[in-house]
Amino acid sequence: MSAIRTRFAPSPTGYMHIGGMRTALFNWLFARHHGGRFVLRIDDTDRERNVESALAPILDAFRWLELDWDEGPEVGGTCGPYFQSQRGALYTEAVQRLLAEGKAYRCFETPEQIRAARDEAEADGRTFLGTRRSLEIDDDRIAEWLEAGQPHVVRFLVPRDRSVVIDDVVRGRVEWDGGLIPDPVILRGDGSPLYNFATVVDDAGMEISHVIRAEEHLSNTPVQVLLHEALGHVLPTFAHVPYVAAPGTQEKLSKRKLEKYRNNPQFRRLFESADAVLPRIGRGGDGRPDPVMVEYYDVMGYLPEAVFNALARLGWSLDDRTEIMSRETITEAFTLERVVKSPAGLDIDKLASLQAHWMTQRPADERLERCLGYLGDAGLVEDVADPSVRDFVGRLVVAMGERLKVYSDVLEFDEFFVADDVMVFDERAVKKRLRKEGVPELLAAFRECLAAAERFDAGELEILMKGWVEERDLKIGQIIHAVRVAVTGKSSGIGMFECLELLGPESVLARIDRALLLCGSIGGSATVADPS
């Protein structure tokens, strides 16, 4: 196989879409598998949509997923510039060639004239392909109008007496009738190129061997093939991969439908997590990342290994059973022949499973540092470098075990970082576990047992509780759930005895006293969380 060169060409519009990242990954994998080069090009010709500051999130997403690029922004290359906005001279040269060879023409028809012609065609039941009236204008008149600054665009003259055929690596043979393709505008009135034209010039100029892109671009392909041929280019190999669908649907994942996705059973969990976490770490408001953005998974504490693994499986498989794969395994095995045609649904459950696996592979010191970062950003710890803080958080992380699914999950255990007199009780947990006949009395009695404990470590506390319930012919469930709610305000969490050891006797006893006040066994009040 000749030199492999692939590219990904995002528009800098403010974020990196998770579906776009999957397409970029396929390009990266194909290039790396074949020892080729991966080019990152910035398609910033649409001046109304592009945001100058929006390039950073795109590059950050690539860095986070560890997708390096061989040519492009910040690294340069021999085929630059790598921003379309800096390649104007190349587009002008290509347009002039097409005009000189009669393969393009200046169109002076106004939008109103074109609209009237379209309406007339529709009324007659004809397919509207344009009028080509500007082709009837003589050269002298065109020269006069150009001298006078007459508004116009440049259109490509589509050869309509032929068909356009490609052998798509994913979709097989695809054919279009050239007689049904309108003459596309390739240069706007302000001199800026349109997408189809700029892409062709750039793909050829950057010697792209394989154009691997989402299937929605398939409709652009016949015009691009004709433009390549008209400019004398070697035609790249095309591979149109399936789009990424919203979880549990066949609908293309779209940022415009964020509110709709809040009702999606799988996506809802991600939105709820974002609502709980992002404001606490200063990422709320209009600029917050959401689950259609790569940034969301970074900010929420997912592992790049897990997201890499999950994205690679969106439309591609190693076989019919293997889910968990390393970056090296995927790169070695990746081929376009194993990419499917059908939409690839983003499976949140599968992502969670992959995340759980890759989280177990991370070293303890990394888990500690990442958790400290979230706790510091949320203001739950003041000094992440304090040895006592690090020791405490390290013990908590160990106790969390598999409950630490993503790094931001540590924020769910804020009961370990708030003062005893401000800890909030969950009303539902209080109602279920504390406000039952006989429970406050049992809790008060066990509180005295804890106060007399000689050692306050998990092992001894477990022995203590088991002995206490046996003496009273009780079941451990009659007290352990009440103790958990009393000391954490919640109905679930880390192991109960590890929890007691971490909090220590002073906090445990003070919190039980507050819980008893809440139950009315002594009188008084305590703060209870709004169950809504």
Side-chain angles (χ1 to χ4, degrees), residues 326-337:
S326 68
R327 174 185 300 264
E328 293 72 24
T329 297
I330 294 170
T331 303
E332 183 178 349
F334 186 84
T335 65
L336 291 173
E337 285 70 23

Side-chain angles (χ1 to χ4, degrees), residues 60-61 64 293-302 307 370 374:
D60 288 344
W64 178 70
M293 305 161 62
V294 176
E295 185 182 9
Y296 169 91
Y297 301 91
D298 180 10
V299 171
M300 292 297 292
Y302 283 79
V307 176
R370 292 297 305 277
Y374 281 96

Side-chain angles (χ1 to χ4, degrees), residues 1 40 64 80 84 196 225 238 267 273 285 307 367 373 478 522 526:
M1 185 178 288
L40 182 59
W64 178 70
Q84 284 190 333
N196 272 337
V225 169
F238 290 95
F267 247 16
S273 294
V307 176
R367 292 157 68 95
Q478 292 177 264
I522 301 175

Side-chain angles (χ1 to χ4, degrees), residues 495-514:
M496 186 67 260
F497 305 106
E498 287 81 0
C499 173
L500 297 176
E501 179 181 340
L502 277 168
L503 287 170
E506 184 177 341
S507 285
V508 167
L509 297 177
R511 292 181 178 199
I512 291 178
D513 288 342
R514 278 190 76 216

Side-chain angles (χ1 to χ4, degrees), residues 340-513:
V340 301
K341 297 180 183 179
S342 56
L346 183 60
D347 190 327
I348 303 304
D349 293 332
K350 188 173 293 182
L351 172 60
S353 176
L354 293 171
Q355 171 70 15
H357 167 79
W358 288 108
M359 185 65 92
T360 64
Q361 311 299 305
R362 305 316 302 158
D365 57 345
E366 177 185 311
R367 292 157 68 95
L368 170 61
E369 294 299 334
R370 292 297 305 277
C371 287
L372 281 167
Y374 281 96
L375 293 168
D377 289 344
L380 292 173
V381 298
E382 293 184 2
D383 184 1
V384 297
D386 186 322
S388 63
V389 170
R390 297 177 67 83
D391 175 69
F392 181 82
V393 174
R395 291 161 58 204
L396 173 61
V397 170
V398 171
M400 288 174 66
E402 293 183 357
R403 289 181 178 275
L404 184 66
K405 298 178 179 66
V406 298
Y407 285 121
S408 61
D409 284 344
V410 72
L411 299 181
E412 295 180 13
F413 296 82
D414 54 355
E415 65 268 22
F416 291 96
F417 302 95
V418 297
D420 302 328
D421 58 352
V422 298
M423 184 192 73
V424 177
F425 290 87
D426 176 58
E427 173 60 27
R428 284 169 292 213
V430 170
K431 181 178 180 180
K432 183 177 181 180
R433 299 299 185 186
L434 294 182
R435 286 183 175 145
K436 286 189 175 182
E437 185 177 353
V439 170
E441 290 76 14
L442 286 175
L443 183 59
F446 186 67
R447 185 245 188 242
E448 298 310 313
C449 181
L450 287 172
E454 295 182 2
R455 292 175 54 190
F456 220 80
D457 62 75
E460 288 298 318
L461 291 169
E462 182 173 6
I463 294 172
L464 182 69
M465 180 178 285
K466 288 180 177 178
W468 188 84
V469 298
E470 286 176 5
E471 289 177 5
R472 288 158 178 77
D473 196 25
L474 301 172
K475 294 180 179 179
I476 199 167
Q478 292 177 264
I479 187 61
I480 194 170
H481 300 301
V483 173
R484 178 183 294 281
V485 175
V487 301
T488 69
K490 302 173 181 176
S491 59
S492 63
I494 65 172
M496 186 67 260
F497 305 106
E498 287 81 0
C499 173
L500 297 176
E501 179 181 340
L502 277 168
L503 287 170
E506 184 177 341
S507 285
V508 167
L509 297 177
R511 292 181 178 199
I512 291 178
D513 288 342

